[in-house]
Structure formats: structure tokens, C-alpha cells
Amino acid sequence: MTPDRRVTLMRAGLAARALEGCVPADIYADTRPMQACIPHAALLDRPDPLAEQQTQLLFGEAFDVLQDCGDFLLGQSRRDGYVGHVARSSLTAVGSAPTHWVSVPHTFGFTEPDIKSRASGPLSLNSLIR
């Protein structure tokens, strides 16, 4: 049986170390955690800005990176398990763990606890924030 490439973190002989013994690969590598740093980050089926979008990462979502592909990083979304390529500029190193999630369709984040402070966003429903 062939593993489903949409949800199995492996490509061209490379697989996540967690899959060792479960899927055949030439090399098994550790992943490194990152998170989305923009309101919506496209997860694409190949490292090309014109590629088909499989899903998207929302602000603060965790993404486990397996391989560096230049301007894109190959990895897996922890929230829905989809595997694909995300633009490097859409991800950042994991910071503090989120303490809240957005529970309305759209909102803005503010740099200070003051509505007159600088706004960012808009953030969508289920975005993870601190």
C-alpha cells in the first residue's frame, strides 16, 4: 500500500524520523518546529508560488519542517496533518506557546492593550495568539 502523500511526511527518499520502520525511505530526518507568522499561509503541493494550494496555516499554527527547499520549506501542519511546502517568509521560529485562539470570524491584534496601538491582521477564526 502506498502512503498518502497529502498526510505522510515523506518525499523522494526522505521521510520524518517518526516514520522510520513504517514507510520505506533512504534517509530519515528529524523535523524542526516553526509557526505561521502571517494571517494566512498557503500550504502548496510543490515549492512553487503557482502550485496548487492543499490547505492553509493560520497565524500561530505549528508546522514541522522536514526539508529546506530554498524559498519554501517542506513540512507538516500539526493541526490538520497536511504535508506540503510553505513559503519561508510565512514561518518563524516557535515562540511562546499560544494562550488564546480567535473565536470570531475576523478580528485584529494590537501591539498593546490599547485600541489606539498598532493593529495587525486581520486574524481569522481559530488563529492562535498570545
Side-chain angles (χ1 to χ4, degrees), residues 1-16:
M1 185 163 136
T2 304
D4 186 345
R5 63 181 276 122
R6 294 172 298 172
V7 294
T8 306
L9 190 47
M10 63 180 293
R11 293 290 186 276
L14 174 66

Side-chain angles (χ1 to χ4, degrees), residues 4 11 17 22-23 25 28-29 31 40 68 75-76 90 97 106 121 124:
D4 186 345
R11 293 290 186 276
R17 188 168 311 282
C22 298
V23 298
Y28 296 94
T31 59
H40 306 97
D68 187 324
Q76 185 169 30
S90 302
H106 289 97
S124 296

